[in-house]
């Protein structure tokens, strides 16, 4: 029972594997943006009492294992992370201080699945995602030759 978190009248463990992409699946999540996004996501998740337990930012998508309290809908947590991070990216990398209309950084949807008792398998999958991507890219290159 040590893994459970507590609210005033609730013991809980609600973990989700979430994946989302930048608009048009552009491969832009590298370098300075990648370094800052990790910090931004962790800071924003703490504001909603969520905990990112594992994350990996690929050039064209984001994987995270996140613990979300039951008082918060998954869609609210993901919407908050994507919306506020897009504003911070616009401020830091697009030199926009205000009037963020028309600045769409993330695509509309996301993938989510509950983790349950296979948490270690999901963590391993997220950690190895970059290596899997490289292998599939190499395979695709070999097919086009």
């Amino acid at each position: 029972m040590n893994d459970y978190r507590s609210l005033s009248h609730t013991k809980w463990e609600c973990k989700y594997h979430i994946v989302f992409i930048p608009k048009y699946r552009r491969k832009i999540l590298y370098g300075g943006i990648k370094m800052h996004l990790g910090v931004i996501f962790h800071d924003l998740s703490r504001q909603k009492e969520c905990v990112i337990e594992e994350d990996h930012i690929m050039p064209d998508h984001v994987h995270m294992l996140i613990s979300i309290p039951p008082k918060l809908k998954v869609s609210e947590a993901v919407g908050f992370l994507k919306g506020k991070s897009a504003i911070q990216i616009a401020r830091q990398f697009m030199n926009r201080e205000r009037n963020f209309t028309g600045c769409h950084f993330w695509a509309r949807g996301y993938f989510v699945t509950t983790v349950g008792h296979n948490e270690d398998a999901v963590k391993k999958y997220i950690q190895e995602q970059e290596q899997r991507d490289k292998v599939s890219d190499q395979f695709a290159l070999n097919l086009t030759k």
Side-chain angles (χ1 to χ4, degrees):
M1 232 165 137
N2 294 340
D3 291 342
Y4 296 117
R5 300 189 190 281
S6 294
L7 294 171
S8 59
H9 299 285
T10 311
K11 285 270 193 206
W12 61 277
E13 181 186 40
C14 302
K15 295 180 182 175
Y16 303 91
H17 176 204
I18 296 174
V19 182
F20 52 91
I21 62 172
K23 193 87 167 176
Y24 309 116
R25 193 137 187 167
R26 293 175 294 190
K27 294 189 179 223
I28 56 174
L29 303 178
Y30 57 87
I33 291 179
K34 183 176 181 175
M35 286 184 352
H36 290 290
L37 265 181
V39 174
I40 290 169
F41 285 142
H42 284 272
D43 289 344
L44 291 172
S45 67
R46 277 191 292 275
Q47 290 178 28
K48 291 289 185 182
E49 299 177 34
C50 300
V51 176
I52 297 176
E53 304 206 3
E54 192 73 41
D55 65 342
H56 197 83
I57 299 170
M58 300 293 294
D60 64 346
H61 63 282
V62 174
H63 280 272
M64 66 176 64
L65 175 65
I66 185 169
S67 181
I68 301 173
K71 66 180 183 178
L72 190 65
K73 290 187 251 179
V74 175
S75 59
E76 289 174 359
V78 174
F80 181 78
L81 288 173
K82 288 171 63 176
K84 296 297 182 183
S85 65
I87 289 171
Q88 290 190 19
I89 289 167
R91 284 186 177 148
Q92 291 179 4
F93 296 97
M94 299 175 190
N95 298 321
R96 307 270 311 255
E97 288 301 318
R98 55 192 185 97
N99 192 12
F100 299 108
T101 56
C103 287
H104 302 286
F105 188 79
W106 300 111
R108 286 181 66 190
Y110 61 93
F111 166 83
V112 62
T113 184
T114 56
V115 173
H117 295 291
N118 59 351
E119 178 181 346
D120 292 333
V122 172
K123 282 184 178 181
K124 184 177 179 184
Y125 174 79
I126 291 171
Q127 291 167 353
E128 295 175 353
Q129 184 62 36
E130 193 158 12
Q131 290 146 341
R132 290 174 190 241
D133 236 23
K134 286 179 184 176
V135 169
S136 67
D137 285 348
Q138 190 64 35
F139 182 71
L141 285 174
N142 290 337
L143 287 176
T144 58
K145 288 183 180 179

